[in-house]
Amino acid sequence: MKAAARVGRPPKTAARASAREDLLKAAHELMSERSSIDVPVAEIAARAGLNVALVAYYFGGKDALLLELAVGHQARFSGELEKLLARPGTADGKLRVHVRAMIRAFRRVPYLQRLNHRILRASSDEAARKLAEALVAPLAAFYERLIDEGVAEGVFRRVDPMHLYLTINGACDMLFSAQASLRFGFGVEAVDDATAEAYAEHLETTLLSGLLAPV
Amino acid sequence: MKAAARVGRPPKTAARASAREDLLKAAHELMSERSSIDVPVAEIAARAGLNVALVAYYFGGKDALLLELAVGHQARFSGELEKLLARPGTADGKLRVHVRAMIRAFRRVPYLQRLNHRILRASSDEAARKLAEALVAPLAAFYERLIDEGVAEGVFRRVDPMHLYLTINGACDMLFSAQASLRFGFGVEAVDDATAEAYAEHLETTLLSGLLAPV
């Protein structure tokens, strides 16, 4: 496909699917690189090598593009949560796997939490309710079932699923949203493999001891 | 002072100090009410009952106004950290007090973390370095000393101060930045006294058990 054709009018069929994907990919790359969700639509289009008008053409606007991106990420992650619950093993082992998976998910999509919050805040009540079902409910259900399993097995004390959601998601998000604090407050230039691994280890140990059933 | 005088040209002395404070207060109120740091400068001025040009006159611009607000909040909180370390008592008790103080601080200033991150991200390297000294270094130093005390007393295992910073600040921030998730994912309409108290209790118990020295 020639660049001229892409910039002119909307391409068809395979090219159309590719242009949609290219815009989603460009938004993802820019937000990841800048560790910020404040990315102008013109820059998203420029990165994809497409005319900015195509964002409106394919998605209806930048907000809808970002929404599709967020829902796509979440759908992939929700599938992983289901598989994890269905595995054999005890709840403490599953929590361990989940914390690692969360850190990996945030490394792939460091802006995910902030994007979800912004979309939910900016939506009408009815839209936000539907969105929360896609973005928050799978995690809420996962924590509820995990805690029930852990309490039944005697490895967890009874904790509120919302509290666990806030603690894990907040602690994971912070590693990726506070990069300037890490850099200038702690001398950590980038969240590389070693930094992510050490933090996952800390979080896993802290949570597993912190949620232990009283002896 | 008449409203007309305030809207006309910049007032003097006491009135000037008051107009500055009014703008800071207006920004604080709007960001708190909306649980968002995306507040237009025109609305800040309107809430203060002042002409929007006075933001530039007193602060040089909206970014500088927000910076002054963030540094002011942090300075008050840093004073509390110093007092807490100087108290008699063991490190686990001080951590307990700190978690409660953090939840209280976030309730007073729910947007603080997000504002700090945005300011740090948007600054030049040199400016961000200076800012981090005001915004992050006091907490970093506090955690370092608290962990040293706790390890010496045998109540904490050795943890990285940065990890503790990320866990506590991330977990506390999430309660106040994820309000739409709480509402639609967990049916919690507002972070009231009971919600904040229950979460502080969860976080305190989880962290204190999670940081325990191995027996």
Side-chain angles (χ1 to χ4, degrees):
Chain A
M1 185 172 59
K2 287 180 203 155
R6 308 185 71 185
V7 176
R9 53 188 176 147
K12 301 224 165 132
T13 55
R16 175 172 300 198
S18 155
R20 274 187 72 89
E21 284 306 310
D22 288 351
L23 287 166
L24 290 167
K25 187 163 165 280
H28 168 72
E29 286 175 0
L30 287 169
M31 293 193 290
S32 300
E33 287 164 16
R34 299 185 187 171
S35 189
S36 168
I37 55 173
D38 297 316
V39 179
V41 66
E43 293 184 36
I44 296 172
R47 169 68 66 103
L50 293 166
N51 189 296
V52 69
L54 292 182
V55 172
Y57 180 81
Y58 286 124
F59 298 93
K62 179 184 158 190
D63 285 353
L65 182 158
L66 295 181
L67 171 60
E68 185 164 324
L69 194 60
V71 170
H73 288 314
Q74 196 63 44
R76 279 185 288 279
F77 192 64
S78 298
E80 287 184 31
L81 295 175
E82 283 299 314
K83 276 185 217 154
L84 179 53
L85 276 179
R87 274 197 204 183
T90 52
D92 51 349
K94 289 177 188 176
L95 180 62
R96 204 180 276 277
V97 173
H98 172 65
V99 168
R100 300 279 164 163
M102 286 286 285
I103 295 282
R104 272 199 311 277
F106 273 101
R107 284 198 81 187
R108 280 197 309 266
V109 192
Y111 56 83
L112 183 57
Q113 196 92 258
R114 282 162 285 156
L115 183 59
N116 288 357
H117 292 167
R118 175 182 289 184
I119 291 171
L120 284 169
R121 261 200 310 267
S123 305
S124 71
D125 272 15
E126 196 38 44
R129 193 174 299 279
K130 281 186 189 158
L131 266 174
E133 283 173 20
L135 300 176
V136 185
L139 270 169
F142 172 77
Y143 291 126
E144 191 171 348
R145 285 174 55 191
L146 191 71
I147 293 164
D148 282 349
E149 283 186 20
V151 170
E153 291 159 2
V155 293
F156 291 164
R157 60 192 168 86
R158 170 68 58 193
V159 291
D160 184 329
M162 185 181 89
H163 292 166
L164 194 56
Y165 165 84
L166 292 172
T167 308
I168 295 181
N169 285 267
C172 287
D173 178 49
M174 187 80 180
L175 181 64
F176 300 95
S177 60
Q179 297 204 340
S181 304
L182 294 194
R183 188 167 176 198
F184 298 113
F186 296 94
V188 169
E189 288 295 321
V191 179
D192 56 14
D193 285 348
T195 305
E197 170 59 29
Y199 188 56
E201 173 73 34
H202 156 81
L203 209 54
E204 194 188 299
T205 307
T206 303
L207 285 171
L208 284 172
S209 314
L211 298 181
L212 267 187
V215 194
Chain B
M1 184 172 58
K2 288 181 204 157
R6 306 184 74 184
V7 176
R9 54 186 175 149
K12 301 224 164 133
T13 55
R16 175 173 300 199
S18 155
R20 275 186 72 90
E21 283 306 310
D22 289 350
L23 287 166
L24 290 167
K25 186 161 167 281
H28 169 72
E29 286 175 1
L30 287 169
M31 292 192 291
S32 299
E33 287 164 17
R34 299 185 187 173
S35 188
S36 167
I37 55 172
D38 297 316
V39 179
V41 65
E43 294 184 35
I44 296 172
R47 168 68 65 103
L50 292 167
N51 189 296
V52 68
L54 292 183
V55 171
Y57 179 82
Y58 285 124
F59 298 94
K62 179 183 158 190
D63 285 353
L65 181 159
L66 295 180
L67 172 60
E68 187 165 321
L69 194 60
V71 170
H73 288 314
Q74 196 63 44
R76 279 186 288 278
F77 192 64
S78 298
E80 288 184 29
L81 294 174
E82 283 300 314
K83 276 186 216 152
L84 178 53
L85 276 179
R87 274 196 204 184
T90 52
D92 51 349
K94 290 177 188 176
L95 180 62
R96 205 180 275 276
V97 173
H98 172 64
V99 169
R100 301 279 163 162
M102 286 286 285
I103 295 281
R104 272 200 311 277
F106 273 100
R107 282 198 82 186
R108 279 197 310 267
V109 191
Y111 55 84
L112 182 58
Q113 195 92 259
R114 282 162 284 156
L115 183 61
N116 288 357
H117 292 165
R118 175 182 287 185
I119 291 171
L120 285 169
R121 261 201 309 267
S123 306
S124 70
D125 272 15
E126 196 39 42
R129 191 173 301 279
K130 282 186 188 156
L131 267 174
E133 284 173 19
L135 300 176
V136 186
L139 270 170
F142 172 78
Y143 291 125
E144 192 171 345
R145 284 174 55 191
L146 190 71
I147 293 163
D148 282 349
E149 282 185 18
V151 171
E153 291 159 3
V155 293
F156 291 163
R157 62 193 167 85
R158 170 69 60 193
V159 291
D160 184 329
M162 185 180 89
H163 292 166
L164 194 56
Y165 165 84
L166 292 171
T167 308
I168 295 180
N169 286 267
C172 289
D173 178 49
M174 187 79 180
L175 182 64
F176 300 95
S177 60
Q179 297 204 340
S181 305
L182 295 193
R183 188 166 177 201
F184 299 113
F186 296 94
V188 169
E189 288 295 321
V191 179
D192 57 14
D193 285 348
T195 305
E197 170 59 27
Y199 189 56
E201 174 72 33
H202 155 83
L203 209 54
E204 194 187 299
T205 307
T206 304
L207 285 171
L208 283 173
S209 315
L211 298 180
L212 269 186
V215 194

